[in-house]
Amino acid sequence: GRRWRYVATYAVTGKGRFIGHLDRVELFRRAIRRAGGRLALSAGMRPKPLLSLALPLAVGVEGLAERCEFELAEDPGSEFFSRLAEALPRHMDLLTLEPYGDSRSLASRVTGARYEVRVKVAPPESPAGAGLPLAVGDAVGLPSLLSEAAERFAAAAELPVEEVREGKVRRVDVRRYVESVSVRKGPGAAGALDLRAAVTPSGTARPERVVEALGRLAGLDLEIEWIGRMQVELA
């Protein structure tokens, strides 16, 4: 039979960044229902609504062009975009809604993600921190120190960092997953990092771990002010 498949592109901002992945899936389901859409169900013993987010967004990260794929059981009618935009919570802003014709799922096509991370030097806790190579408010010094660290990052064969997941510590080589990192001056005393992380079946690099590796290379204690995922890249 006929299938009504769609991809919605949306932004997650403000308070929305503190919502977990499964809750965001549920918010989307409810919004589609409120907008008059009827989600199609998967086949098999335990049918599930056909809706999935392309790539989970870590808690605390804003997403500026997130994607959701879903399939409806019937034609939702002409005003569906505006009804869905209205039905989504304020912190989930619907940007585009397009028919989806690819036989592959959106999630299986994800190859990478682009992030912007704003960082500053952590304030020295004690007089011992006073000898840092840079004043805390020195907006000129930070980007140049970070640029040097980014060059060393790019030249490194590997950069293992430790990550704690569900109580287990594992080593992740962030260098393996980061394809590019560049630095520019951010707002105020912040430096802005633009980075592209590959997303592969064996894993990806979290922006926080990349910042940790750069801080280590620069000899700086960096504090993250803001992380935004600018784009989810598809094959």
Side-chain angles (χ1 to χ4, degrees), residues 25-176:
V25 169
E26 191 48 41
L27 283 173
F28 235 109
R29 278 187 202 152
R30 277 187 230 154
I32 287 170
R33 209 163 42 230
R34 274 207 298 277
R38 198 159 68 81
L39 281 167
L41 298 174
S42 63
M45 294 289 285
R46 305 175 72 177
K48 285 208 205 57
L50 291 172
L51 178 145
S52 64
L53 307 184
L55 187 63
L57 188 65
V59 173
V61 177
E62 291 196 358
L64 279 79
E66 296 299 299
R67 293 164 189 264
C68 172
E69 173 191 353
F70 60 92
E71 188 176 324
L72 300 180
E74 57 201 34
D75 188 344
S78 59
E79 300 295 304
F80 186 56
F81 175 85
S82 49
R83 292 198 309 268
L84 182 56
E86 190 63 35
L88 281 164
R90 273 233 298 278
H91 50 70
M92 283 171 76
D93 191 12
L94 187 62
L95 304 173
T96 63
L97 182 66
E98 292 159 324
Y100 185 58
D102 201 298
S103 60
R104 300 167 294 171
S105 76
L106 205 58
S108 71
R109 292 174 54 203
V110 174
T111 56
R114 287 185 184 276
Y115 295 92
E116 183 187 315
V117 188
R118 290 180 206 143
V119 296
K120 59 179 201 243
V121 177
E125 298 293 327
S126 65
L132 278 175
L134 139 118
V136 171
D138 182 359
V140 184
L142 184 55
S144 67
L145 285 173
L146 286 176
S147 293
E148 284 171 30
E151 281 172 28
R152 288 211 290 280
F153 184 100
E158 58 167 13
L159 287 165
V161 294
E162 290 192 345
E163 189 157 275
V164 181
R165 275 267 172 95
E166 291 155 14
K168 292 194 190 76
V169 178
R170 47 181 214 138
R171 285 161 74 80
V172 180
D173 173 15
V174 288
R175 181 64 197 91
R176 179 179 159 195

Side-chain angles (χ1 to χ4, degrees), residues 114-117 180-184 192-196 230:
R114 287 185 184 276
Y115 295 92
E116 183 187 315
V117 188
S180 62
V181 56
S182 61
V183 180
R184 56 198 161 78
L193 307 172
D194 293 303
L195 64 100
R196 184 187 184 280
M230 313 309 281

